[in-house]
């Protein structure tokens, strides 16, 4: 069927043995961009909700090809923190979920992994199969693997970054100028110094494996707009960025 993307294959009910779903869920609710940390147990990565491509009811299984990953997405946020119900157009969809299947060229992910994935992935496609919503994306757009299927925001420091990404603990922005003038939040310089917490396994380039050169414990300066920011309940900020966005290491 030419209407399906070239990186997946839809299988009719008559030829599918089962729907291949045995998944937990990691709920990431929409707290991105707010000044305070999200409530306990909730993540802050979200992306604008769009209507998914829905396969005909005769298809119950979707199998990814090449380096594609099929992720069962967590539920959308249906109300604001204050309890205001959101219309469908204003609901936000979390960029997290459990891997339902992987293509044959995927190296570092497997079925059942609970993952965070990039909201800016090129070619990421929302699709609904037999009433269940998924996101089909490339392996390179998966940010990291959470330690358990029931992971919470407090588990971010134990997240395993994917490919050449590194997990950073970001230093706090200065509250005052060198002359002692207190700064409002809007005037604080965006922090660009962080400590490396965990490094990914590296990635394939031109047929060769390239390891991440950074090491846990190193202090680094990074490109200020890079990565995916995550705020802990205690206010600690973490960021996951590709190693190429680290500008250099620093020492006291």
């Amino acid at each position: 069927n030419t209407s399906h993307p070239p990186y997946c294959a839809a299988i009719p009910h008559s030829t599918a043995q089962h729907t291949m779903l045995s998944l937990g869920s990691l709920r990431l609710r929409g707290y991105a961009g707010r000044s305070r940390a999200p409530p306990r147990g909730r993540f802050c990565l979200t992306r604008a909700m769009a209507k998914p491509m829905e396969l005909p009811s005769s298809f119950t299984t979707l199998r990814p090809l090449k380096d594609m990953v099929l992720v069962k997405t967590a539920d959308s946020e249906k109300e604001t923190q204050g309890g205001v119900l959101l219309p469908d157009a204003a609901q936000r969809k979390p960029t997290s979920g459990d891997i339902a299947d992987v293509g044959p060229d995927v190296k570092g992910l497997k079925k059942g992994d609970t993952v965070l994935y990039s909201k800016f992935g090129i070619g990421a496609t929302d699709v609904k199969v037999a009433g269940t919503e998924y996101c089909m994306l490339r392996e390179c757009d998966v940010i990291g693997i959470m330690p358990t299927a029931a992971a919470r925001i407090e588990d971010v420091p134990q997240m395993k970054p994917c490919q050449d990404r590194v997990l950073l603990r970001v230093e706090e922005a200065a509250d005052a100028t060198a002359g002692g003038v207190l700064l409002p939040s809007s005037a604080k310089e965006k922090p660009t110094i962080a400590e490396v917490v965990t490094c990914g396994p590296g990635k394939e380039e031109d047929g060769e494996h390239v390891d991440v050169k950074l090491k846990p414990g190193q202090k680094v300066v990074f490109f200020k707009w890079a990565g995916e920011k995550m705020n802990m309940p205690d206010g600690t900020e973490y960021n996951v960025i590709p190693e190429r966005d680290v500008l250099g290491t620093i020492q006291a």
Side-chain angles (χ1 to χ4, degrees):
N1 189 331
T2 57
S3 65
H4 298 303
Y7 43 72
C8 62
I11 301 172
H13 177 74
S14 59
T15 59
Q17 294 182 352
H18 51 79
T19 312
M20 298 197 306
L21 299 179
S22 177
L23 306 167
S25 67
L26 173 64
R27 298 173 64 86
L28 305 195
R29 302 293 294 275
Y31 293 90
R34 298 185 184 177
S35 59
R36 63 185 185 83
R40 181 180 179 85
R42 295 177 179 177
F43 282 83
C44 58
L45 296 178
T46 62
R47 62 193 175 102
M49 183 176 182
K51 187 176 180 180
M53 174 182 69
E54 186 166 0
L55 298 186
S57 59
S58 58
F59 296 94
T60 60
T61 302
L62 183 63
R63 290 177 179 166
L65 303 178
K66 301 180 181 179
D67 63 341
M68 303 303 297
V69 178
L70 182 66
V71 179
K72 179 181 180 296
T73 58
D75 294 335
S76 303
E77 182 183 19
K78 298 185 183 300
E79 62 180 43
T80 67
Q81 184 185 359
V84 178
L85 293 178
L86 297 171
D88 289 345
Q91 290 179 19
R92 300 184 67 82
K93 182 173 293 186
T95 53
S96 71
D98 300 313
I99 294 181
D101 205 354
V102 298
D105 296 335
V106 173
K107 305 297 184 184
L109 301 168
K110 64 182 185 301
K111 292 182 185 180
D113 283 342
T114 298
V115 297
L116 306 183
Y117 57 89
S118 175
K119 54 193 169 185
F120 300 116
I122 297 175
T125 301
D126 293 318
V127 59
K128 182 179 286 189
V129 184
T132 301
E133 291 191 22
Y134 300 87
C135 183
M136 182 76 79
L137 67 157
R138 299 189 183 279
E139 182 181 17
C140 62
D141 291 321
V142 176
I143 297 167
I145 304 171
M146 298 304 295
T148 65
R152 302 188 306 173
I153 186 69
E154 292 88 346
D155 296 320
V156 163
Q158 284 76 52
M159 180 178 67
K160 177 184 175 183
C162 291
Q163 299 198 343
D164 65 338
R165 291 179 174 86
V166 293
L167 175 64
L168 305 177
R169 183 187 300 111
V170 181
E171 291 193 355
E172 294 184 8
D175 291 322
T177 67
V181 178
L182 293 177
L183 295 171
S185 297
S186 60
K188 291 180 182 179
E189 178 66 18
K190 187 176 178 67
T192 58
I193 297 176
E195 179 181 350
V196 178
V197 177
T198 313
C199 300
K203 67 177 183 178
E204 301 294 321
E205 287 187 359
D206 300 324
E208 296 185 2
H209 182 79
V210 179
D211 291 324
V212 173
K213 296 178 174 57
L214 292 170
K215 304 295 182 184
Q218 287 184 309
K219 287 287 186 72
V220 299
V221 177
F222 63 96
F223 175 58
K224 68 168 62 178
W225 305 116
E228 299 285 350
K229 182 176 71 172
M230 291 166 280
N231 293 321
M232 302 298 103
D234 65 0
T236 303
E237 179 182 324
Y238 287 83
N239 200 339
V240 184
I241 69 174
E243 186 181 33
R244 64 179 178 272
D245 288 330
V246 174
L247 305 179
T249 60
I250 56 176
Q251 296 179 340

